[in-house]
Amino acid sequence: MSHRLTLVVALVLSSAAIPVVAQEACLPFENGDGHSPVITARVNGQGPFEFVLDTASSATTLDASTITRLALTPDAASEQAQGMGGEFSVRLFQVAEINTGPISLYEVTVPEVPAPTLDSHEIVGLGGIDLLAGRLTVWRPSASCVGIVPSGQLPGGEGWVEISVDWIQPWKVMLPVQIDGVSGWALLDTGAQKTVMNQPFAEALDLTASSGRVREGGQITGLDGRPLPLFEAEVVKAAIGPWTWSMASVNIGDLPVFSRLGDPTRPLMILGMDWLAGRPFAVDYGTQKVWLGTERQHPLAHPDADPAEVR
């Protein structure tokens, strides 16, 4: 049996699994290629395995080789998932238990999806929002930690600014962004190494071929395996709440995923780890609130390498 989902970015699948967490604890992560946040987890008691923790994926995923290694039981159904390059079919498998840091999921349906390719880590899948559901999560890059706190509280420490967001889904949290006087919306996406804006945003900023401000930017390959061309340009000033960037590089691409983020004719962008690196933020998945930290903890990095696969 095949089903069709209205999903976004890497993958969007519904999960009935409910996280079990300690009262307050740290989910540790390491920085992988392009500042990708990498966590370790045990699956059915085996591992540890490495995952990219992805705020734009609703479900935790596994690649085919890991599913074979674990001898997982297939589900009778299949699903349609939405990658950056469009829709693709995935098989589903049953997992008894996933453990990562203070978080445990039980009786999870996991889709088989190709894992992001990182030189720094042997990634087997994405850690999705099902790991964080219903909790306040506090991203602290300087501590290499995502704080897991009961929903309804405030992030600990000083310097937090709450901002209004467009909460489409827990994995589609859109932040208000202003770039060189043009307002738009940015998807909070820790699973993306690159920040990419859509064509309407670029055109509003006069970042067009005729402007002389745009150059070829290589390509991006989604989990669906489809390479998509990118262009690159610099913006003078960008801001999201208390966060600001000066003379930052941004990619431009006609990605099908933008049609899943509301009106595709409005200025939209994917806020990736090249812009997010070192910036603390907090998301309460229970109360649908977002805070940004006012202090930047590491410099914005612009990697020289163009990764072959970004998601």
Side-chain angles (χ1 to χ4, degrees):
M1 180 182 298
S2 178
H3 302 278
R4 185 181 183 89
L5 299 181
T6 52
L7 313 183
V8 66
V9 189
L11 182 72
V12 177
L13 292 168
S14 60
S15 172
I18 300 175
V20 177
V21 302
Q23 180 68 15
E24 181 173 353
C26 170
L27 174 59
F29 66 85
E30 298 178 356
N31 284 319
D33 297 348
H35 304 287
S36 296
V38 176
I39 61 171
T40 59
R42 291 189 175 275
V43 181
N44 289 351
Q46 297 188 47
F49 301 104
E50 294 177 319
F51 296 77
V52 173
L53 187 56
D54 186 352
T55 57
S57 176
S58 72
T60 296
T61 72
L62 286 169
D63 62 14
S65 62
T66 306
I67 287 172
T68 299
R69 173 179 171 183
L70 293 169
L72 297 182
T73 302
D75 193 286
S78 63
E79 297 282 5
Q80 291 299 114
Q82 178 68 33
M84 282 191 177
E87 199 172 70
F88 62 107
S89 180
V90 297
R91 297 190 301 163
L92 305 179
F93 292 83
Q94 298 301 314
V95 171
E97 184 175 358
I98 300 175
N99 306 105
T100 176
I103 297 172
S104 293
L105 296 184
Y106 300 100
E107 302 303 327
V108 188
T109 300
V110 174
E112 177 192 319
V113 176
T117 302
L118 302 185
D119 291 333
S120 58
H121 295 79
E122 294 292 332
I123 303 298
V124 302
L126 300 174
I129 295 304
D130 53 349
L131 295 172
L132 309 176
R135 294 292 188 264
L136 168 63
T137 62
V138 186
W139 290 69
R140 303 182 186 277
S142 63
S144 298
C145 171
V146 179
I148 306 298
V149 185
S151 177
Q153 301 188 41
L154 297 175
E158 299 180 350
W160 295 103
V161 176
E162 184 178 350
I163 65 168
S164 297
V165 300
D166 183 3
W167 191 284
I168 302 174
Q169 295 282 358
W171 52 90
K172 291 192 283 188
V173 178
M174 306 297 292
L175 311 181
V177 59
Q178 186 167 86
I179 299 179
D180 294 343
V182 177
S183 297
W185 293 94
L187 174 70
L188 180 65
D189 190 354
T190 60
Q193 291 180 16
K194 291 184 177 182
T195 294
V196 184
M197 66 172 53
N198 66 355
Q199 292 290 350
F201 211 154
E203 291 169 4
L205 293 166
D206 193 30
L207 296 178
T208 61
S210 61
S211 71
R213 300 170 58 195
V214 176
R215 59 189 177 274
E216 291 188 1
Q219 64 183 26
I220 186 170
T221 302
L223 292 179
D224 46 25
R226 306 176 195 181
L228 296 166
L230 293 177
F231 297 92
E232 191 175 18
E234 272 73 44
V235 297
V236 177
K237 185 176 182 180
I240 300 176
W243 292 349
T244 59
W245 296 263
S246 298
M247 297 307 298
S249 294
V250 64
N251 290 100
I252 303 163
D254 187 16
L255 308 183
V257 67
F258 286 121
S259 66
R260 305 288 179 170
L261 303 179
D263 182 358
T265 65
R266 68 177 179 169
L268 299 171
M269 64 188 286
I270 296 165
L271 184 66
M273 290 307 299
D274 52 348
W275 283 35
L276 279 171
R279 296 179 184 267
F281 63 90
V283 181
D284 191 327
Y285 291 99
T287 63
Q288 300 184 359
K289 294 183 178 180
V290 176
W291 295 262
L292 305 184
T294 57
E295 293 188 8
R296 202 168 129 198
Q297 299 170 333
H298 297 291
L300 179 66
H302 297 282
D304 294 331
D306 181 18
E309 183 165 61
V310 189
R311 295 191 56 77

